[in-house]
Amino acid sequence: RSATVLLLHRAVNRLPGFRDAWLSDPGTLAVLDALCDVLRDGVKSAAEAAADNDVSGACAASAAQLLLRVVEMSEGTRELVERVWNADLLSLAPAVASHRVSLECLRRLLLLLGSLACGSRAHAPDLERFLLACVARLRRAFALAEQGMVDAEHAFLVLLASVMTAEASVALITRMLGFARALVAWFLDEHRALTGAPVDPPRVDMFVQFVICLKVVLSEVGDVVELLGGDFDPAFFAFVAACTRMSLGERVFERTPEIRELAADLLAYVVTEPQALSIQSLE
């Protein structure tokens, strides 16, 4: 099955005549359904650590890549996009959280979902569960410094940006406070890792993009202090300390001075301006 998917992908990419004929064929939708089945089954098999989990993961990644290519070539035809989006891919949350699913497979899946998602789909019932699973998997990847983690994080941010449209962001975050907390926890993990190790430019650059997304998410939270457990909670103190140090400037972020303003914006969600100035004077 993996060889068939790879062969079809190459034909779509390299043979314009085949590609055009295939896209205009009514049977294409049935093939898309089959590819979605391959994607779901491959991710689940990889997560279950079957003997051929590497093959399953590679097959799933190829299916996701081919589906994304077809979506791009069809220029987002509504029927096609709805068909793939409704293929129950968000139900893969338990499998996605598994460390046995490769980051390349996860990256391909996230890029596909990012191309399909839009604000109107932010209300999908399984969305928060899926995003939380992604955060759990990526936090583990970064903790272990797995190869491909930065590229996988980029794909995750693409998906998050797709669903966080201006029209949907308030409703989305209001009902996904658990996800917002998970993002803060990941932010604190990554800040500690970056400031305690040699400078890794790609990782730092991606962290800046992550902070931009975190800022957008927290801007829709009614009470960020409450989200962090109150102003006596260790998470609150850790968040304030990290943002304060970043706003003052840290060596690891010398190449990315914009992080100082972003950190100041995050700090403004939890302390008043006089409090922020007082904290900075203590540093």
Side-chain angles (χ1 to χ4, degrees):
R1 191 160 63 169
S2 178
T4 302
V5 172
L6 288 173
L7 182 62
L8 183 57
H9 186 242
R10 287 172 184 166
V12 168
N13 277 332
R14 300 178 184 178
L15 303 173
F18 171 84
R19 179 175 64 224
D20 295 341
W22 186 51
L23 286 176
S24 62
D25 191 312
T28 299
L29 293 178
V31 176
L32 293 182
D33 291 342
L35 286 171
C36 289
D37 290 341
V38 170
L39 174 53
R40 283 195 309 273
D41 293 347
V43 173
K44 289 177 181 178
S45 295
E48 292 167 0
D52 61 344
N53 69 310
D54 288 341
V55 174
S56 297
C59 185
S62 296
Q65 187 176 15
L66 179 54
L67 284 165
L68 175 60
R69 183 76 176 111
V70 173
V71 170
E72 291 173 341
M73 290 187 305
S74 68
E75 298 181 346
T77 302
R78 183 176 180 82
E79 180 183 10
L80 188 150
V81 168
E82 292 291 342
R83 189 107 174 188
V84 179
W85 178 259
N86 291 327
D88 204 24
L89 298 179
L90 294 180
S91 68
L92 290 171
V96 162
S98 171
H99 67 279
R100 297 184 180 93
V101 174
S102 73
L103 292 180
E104 176 60 15
C105 182
L106 176 62
R107 183 179 77 87
R108 296 291 185 186
L109 174 60
L110 293 176
L111 288 175
L112 171 63
L113 290 172
S115 72
L116 302 171
C118 65
S120 63
R121 297 190 175 94
H123 299 284
D126 292 332
L127 181 60
E128 181 179 23
R129 188 180 180 212
F130 182 85
L131 292 176
L132 282 169
C134 292
V135 171
R137 176 67 181 92
L138 289 169
R139 285 182 69 185
R140 174 188 172 88
F142 275 78
L144 299 177
E146 293 183 39
Q147 186 175 1
M149 62 186 185
V150 173
D151 289 338
E153 181 185 9
H154 173 260
F156 171 77
L157 296 181
V158 168
L159 171 59
L160 185 57
S162 296
V163 296
M164 283 285 294
T165 61
E167 299 79 13
S169 58
V170 176
L172 176 67
I173 298 304
T174 298
R175 68 181 183 81
M176 289 177 48
L177 294 180
F179 171 64
R181 291 189 192 94
L183 283 185
V184 171
W186 187 10
F187 161 76
L188 294 174
D189 284 351
E190 188 63 356
H191 179 260
R192 281 192 295 269
L194 289 173
T195 54
V199 177
D200 181 346
R203 188 169 177 175
V204 171
D205 291 343
M206 191 55 60
F207 180 70
V208 174
Q209 298 305 309
F210 176 86
V211 172
I212 292 172
C213 284
L214 179 62
K215 175 186 170 182
V216 173
V217 169
L218 294 184
S219 71
E220 306 296 359
V221 175
D223 188 337
V224 177
V225 175
E226 182 180 350
L227 178 79
L228 296 174
D231 52 11
F232 290 102
D233 192 279
F236 170 81
F237 288 113
F239 183 80
V240 170
C243 293
T244 300
R245 288 196 292 270
M246 288 166 56
S247 67
L248 293 172
E250 295 177 288
R251 182 185 61 82
V252 69
F253 301 118
E254 287 178 347
R255 292 176 53 259
T256 53
E258 65 270 26
I259 198 75
R260 297 183 63 176
E261 184 176 348
L262 289 169
D265 291 339
L266 292 180
L267 197 58
Y269 292 143
V270 294
V271 298
T272 64
E273 186 174 353
Q275 288 174 324
L277 293 173
S278 177
I279 291 171
Q280 291 179 353
S281 68
L282 295 175
E283 283 287 327

